[in-house]
Amino acid sequence: MNKVFQSMRIAFRALRVNKLRSALTMLGIIIGVGAVIAMVSVGSGATDRIHQQIASIGSNIIMVQPGSQNTGGVKSGNGNSQTLTEGDAEAIQTDCPAVQYASPVQNNNQQIVYGSNNWQTKVYGVSPEYLTIRDLRIEEGEPFTTEDVKSTNKVALLGKTVVDNLFAGEDPIGKVVRIRKVPFTVVGTLVPKGQSSQGQDQDDIIIMPITTAKKKVMGGGRQNNWQQIGQIMAQARDGQNNNAMDQIEALLRQRHRLQATEDNDFQVRSLEEMAAAQEQATQIMGLLLASIASVSLIVGGIGIMNIMLVSVTERTREIGVRKALGATPKNILLQFLIEAVVLCLLGGVGGIIFGWVGALALAKFGNFNTSVAPSSILIAFFFSVVVVILLGEWPARRAASLDPIQSLRYE
């Protein structure tokens, strides 16, 4: 044990004598560990952001959109034909056991006017169930009701962005806004939700009864089919996403009288599937970034190996003297390995600080979402130790194998 402490003392003394060289050697490890931590934090932050955005949209959401229609052998593109109706939405909610809620959706952009202020925003015509499906909560006022839908009442709920641009601090509840010269009473405002996964402002919206939206805001002539809608949004019961999608598909094929050989004239998609695909792509990108950053760790390890080889050459006579005084090859090996590990540990601590600061800088100045996980710190630190020990073993063994007679003769 005494020889071990003696080897440690000699190793620390050698590092103190060559402070500049030791610092430059550690720099490679500092950059390597820091780069790995920073890059992994970018990948983790992106994954966390996806989870937050999906949670802000709502859970277990299934979207049903119009598909293509075949007219005289000519197929229209997906979404170009109105193949969904309000009746489809009602049937999905009542006839699909795995579906908890369903709402018809019709939306387009409209210019909203209040006093001398105006703002263009997205207007959504929906049923009251839409608020539950999208997890839209009322901040002030109250939501519209099923009776408002049946009576085509001119009431509206406003997102925070619309409130800020139209009312400028004034209480909007009970005020009247105009859409296409039609007056709407503001009955409530929505709790802010921020940006969606596509970067869209989820607070830049107005929500109203679907009957009102179609007949007062988005409708055309009487010849239009008032039942047609642009989308159906449904919420599956917990753990029933796949069952709900199958039930919706079977029900709509029956309602649309599609033969077994005919393709669907609608699309059924789950946000969970979309989120999983997006998360997988983010994880792959995170692994790629971490792999690229880990190359700098290997470069840092090679730097330590090179410095140790130089150190062995410079200290050949010292090694000969120690062996002549009774030091064993094991003692020499231990001394040089201790030097490598000390450089690695100090560089690793510096790399953790560098990586943490780098992740914060990326979040503040680079508009990246970063999340420094303890696991990424441990992995980067452990990897750096392994690399240094593996690459530092050869110079250490070379020093341990030197012949003491030849070492004493070395000039």
Side-chain angles (χ1 to χ4, degrees):
M1 184 62 69
N2 185 42
K3 290 184 177 180
V4 172
F5 285 116
Q6 186 178 6
S7 297
M8 292 178 65
R9 188 168 59 252
I10 295 172
F12 280 111
R13 185 178 62 191
L15 293 175
R16 285 198 303 270
V17 169
N18 300 284
K19 293 179 182 179
L20 179 59
R21 185 170 67 188
S22 299
L24 293 174
T25 305
M26 286 189 297
L27 186 61
I29 297 298
I30 291 173
I31 294 175
V33 172
V36 170
I37 292 174
M39 292 302 98
V40 171
S41 72
V42 171
S44 299
T47 301
D48 292 344
R49 180 62 175 166
I50 290 172
H51 291 161
Q52 293 170 5
Q53 290 171 340
I54 295 300
S56 73
I57 295 174
S59 60
N60 303 333
I61 288 182
I62 296 172
M63 294 188 299
V64 185
Q65 296 175 316
S68 63
Q69 280 187 324
N70 192 332
T71 305
V74 178
K75 286 189 176 182
S76 62
N78 287 330
N80 289 331
S81 300
Q82 288 188 313
T83 58
L84 301 175
T85 66
E86 290 183 51
D88 290 335
E90 294 172 3
I92 288 173
Q93 180 158 333
T94 57
D95 298 339
C96 295
V99 175
Q100 190 167 13
Y101 300 106
S103 170
V105 180
Q106 188 82 350
N107 65 81
N108 65 15
N109 291 323
Q110 295 289 343
Q111 201 75 20
I112 315 301
V113 179
Y114 173 72
S116 59
N117 297 327
N118 68 90
W119 182 253
Q120 188 177 73
T121 186
K122 182 80 76 175
V123 175
Y124 283 82
V126 297
S127 68
E129 289 78 12
Y130 182 82
L131 301 178
T132 304
I133 295 170
R134 285 288 315 278
D135 191 26
L136 294 170
R137 290 169 290 168
I138 302 299
E139 186 172 49
E140 294 182 12
E142 58 186 18
F144 61 82
T145 64
T146 303
E147 185 59 35
D148 290 322
V149 176
K150 293 179 179 178
S151 303
T152 319
N153 290 336
K154 296 187 286 293
V155 293
L157 302 172
L158 273 56
K160 186 178 186 306
T161 300
V162 179
V163 172
D164 291 344
N165 283 278
L166 287 183
F167 294 93
E170 185 179 350
D171 184 6
I173 305 301
K175 300 298 191 298
V176 175
V177 297
R178 294 186 176 274
I179 307 174
R180 297 185 67 175
K181 299 183 180 181
V182 178
F184 283 82
T185 302
V186 179
V187 295
T189 59
L190 302 171
V191 174
K193 293 179 73 71
Q195 288 189 340
S196 69
S197 57
Q198 288 79 34
Q200 297 174 337
D201 185 357
Q202 297 184 92
D203 302 318
D204 193 6
I205 58 172
I206 289 183
I207 297 177
M208 62 180 63
I210 185 161
T211 51
T212 310
K214 289 168 63 178
K215 295 181 180 180
K216 305 293 184 181
V217 178
M218 307 174 193
R222 291 186 176 274
Q223 71 274 15
N224 285 358
N225 185 348
W226 294 113
Q227 281 291 308
Q228 290 179 341
I229 56 175
Q231 186 185 52
I232 297 172
M233 190 164 284
Q235 184 180 53
R237 300 184 186 277
D238 289 340
Q240 295 289 311
N241 261 47
N242 291 334
N243 290 337
M245 293 175 68
D246 292 340
Q247 292 172 10
I248 290 172
E249 182 177 2
L251 175 66
L252 291 183
R253 285 189 64 86
Q254 179 184 2
R255 286 182 56 85
H256 295 187
R257 296 181 174 84
L258 297 175
Q259 301 299 319
T261 56
E262 292 183 287
D263 294 332
N264 292 338
D265 61 356
F266 56 88
Q267 292 181 328
V268 182
R269 304 182 67 184
S270 169
L271 281 188
E272 284 189 357
E273 293 179 351
M274 297 164 62
Q278 201 169 8
E279 184 175 350
Q280 184 179 15
T282 302
Q283 289 175 345
I284 293 173
M285 181 59 68
L287 288 174
L288 179 61
L289 291 174
S291 299
I292 295 172
S294 64
V295 173
S296 58
L297 270 180
I298 298 175
V299 172
I302 293 174
I304 289 180
M305 181 182 69
N306 290 334
I307 292 299
M308 287 181 63
L309 286 172
V310 172
S311 180
V312 169
T313 303
E314 290 180 348
R315 295 157 63 186
T316 300
R317 285 180 61 83
E318 175 192 330
I319 294 170
V321 171
R322 287 198 64 200
K323 284 191 172 184
L325 294 175
T328 64
K330 184 178 180 181
N331 297 140
I332 303 298
L333 175 67
L334 183 61
Q335 174 191 338
F336 280 88
L337 282 179
I338 289 173
E339 290 184 21
V341 170
V342 169
L343 288 173
C344 173
L345 292 177
L346 294 176
V349 172
I352 291 172
I353 298 173
F354 176 67
W356 203 302
V357 173
L360 294 177
L362 286 172
K364 185 174 181 63
F365 302 108
N367 293 325
F368 286 96
N369 292 298
T370 60
S371 175
V372 181
S375 59
S376 66
I377 295 175
L378 292 175
I379 291 172
F381 193 78
F382 176 76
F383 186 56
S384 68
V385 172
V386 171
V387 168
V388 169
I389 290 177
L390 290 177
L391 294 177
E393 186 180 11
W394 177 41
R397 287 191 179 279
R398 182 178 176 182
S401 64
L402 289 176
D403 181 81
I405 303 299
Q406 298 297 327
S407 300
L408 289 171
R409 291 176 176 174
Y410 184 81
E411 295 295 336

